[in-house]
């Protein structure tokens, strides 16, 4: 796994968030760093409901 792989996963997660995909759409296995990166990207554009209220 390279830095580029991690960066790509973050970007893919953000794109999924922009499209309105569900967080369960993540294509990476639960035990991988790429899943964490994807979710981080997703979370940048789809914050939790309680974060939006602030």
């Amino acid at each position: 796994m390279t830095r580029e792989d991690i960066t790509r996963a973050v970007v893919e997660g953000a794109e999924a968030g922009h499209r309105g995909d569900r967080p369960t759409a993540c294509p990476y296995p639960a035990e991988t760093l790429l899943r964490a990166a994807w979710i981080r990207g997703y979370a940048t554009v789809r914050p939790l409901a309680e974060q939006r209220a602030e």
Side-chain angles (χ1 to χ4, degrees):
M1 173 181 346
T2 65
R3 182 175 288 194
E4 288 81 16
D5 295 332
I6 296 168
T7 301
R8 185 177 323 109
V10 171
V11 170
E12 289 172 356
E15 290 171 348
H18 281 297
R19 285 191 306 268
D21 296 353
R22 298 180 60 82
T24 55
C26 180
Y28 301 106
E31 304 82 28
T32 66
L33 181 60
L34 293 177
R35 183 177 187 91
W38 189 95
I39 291 171
R40 182 178 299 268
Y42 185 91
T44 61
V45 297
R46 302 285 297 201
L48 298 173
E50 60 268 10
Q51 292 173 331
R52 284 184 249 160
E54 295 175 1

